[in-house]
Amino acid sequence: MNILTKIKDKAKQVKRRVVLPEGDETRMVQAAKKILFEEIAQVTLIGDLAKIEPLAKEHGLNLAKVEVINPT
């Protein structure tokens, strides 16, 4: 078992929250999808929902499982 697998397994047990800034960027939406798929943590995206929704749809991210906070 490699170190990354150990870290992921421990994170799954603890079930913390990951906050991703710049939630309207593709890489953040992809990261949120992966974190949720692997059940590593709960996810919060920071950004404008109107900009995040199309990206989430494009990348197959279910926003019902993600908290979105608009900083403005």
Side-chain angles (χ1 to χ4, degrees):
M1 183 180 286
N2 68 30
I3 187 73
L4 189 55
T5 304
K6 288 180 184 179
I7 292 170
K8 285 182 182 181
D9 288 344
K10 186 167 183 170
K12 288 178 186 181
Q13 292 173 356
V14 178
K15 279 291 190 183
R16 299 288 177 137
R17 176 170 300 278
V18 174
V19 179
L20 301 172
E22 302 167 353
D24 57 353
E25 290 189 9
T26 300
R27 61 191 173 97
M28 294 299 166
V29 171
Q30 291 171 335
K33 181 180 175 184
K34 186 171 185 174
I35 291 167
L36 290 173
F37 178 76
E38 295 185 17
E39 298 178 344
I40 295 172
Q42 297 174 330
V43 177
T44 299
L45 288 173
I46 306 295
D48 183 5
L49 182 60
K51 292 179 181 177
I52 295 171
E53 281 180 328
L55 282 174
K57 186 175 181 179
E58 178 182 337
H59 295 284
L61 173 64
N62 181 357
L63 284 180
K65 297 181 178 183
V66 177
E67 179 181 16
V68 177
I69 298 176
N70 190 334
T72 59

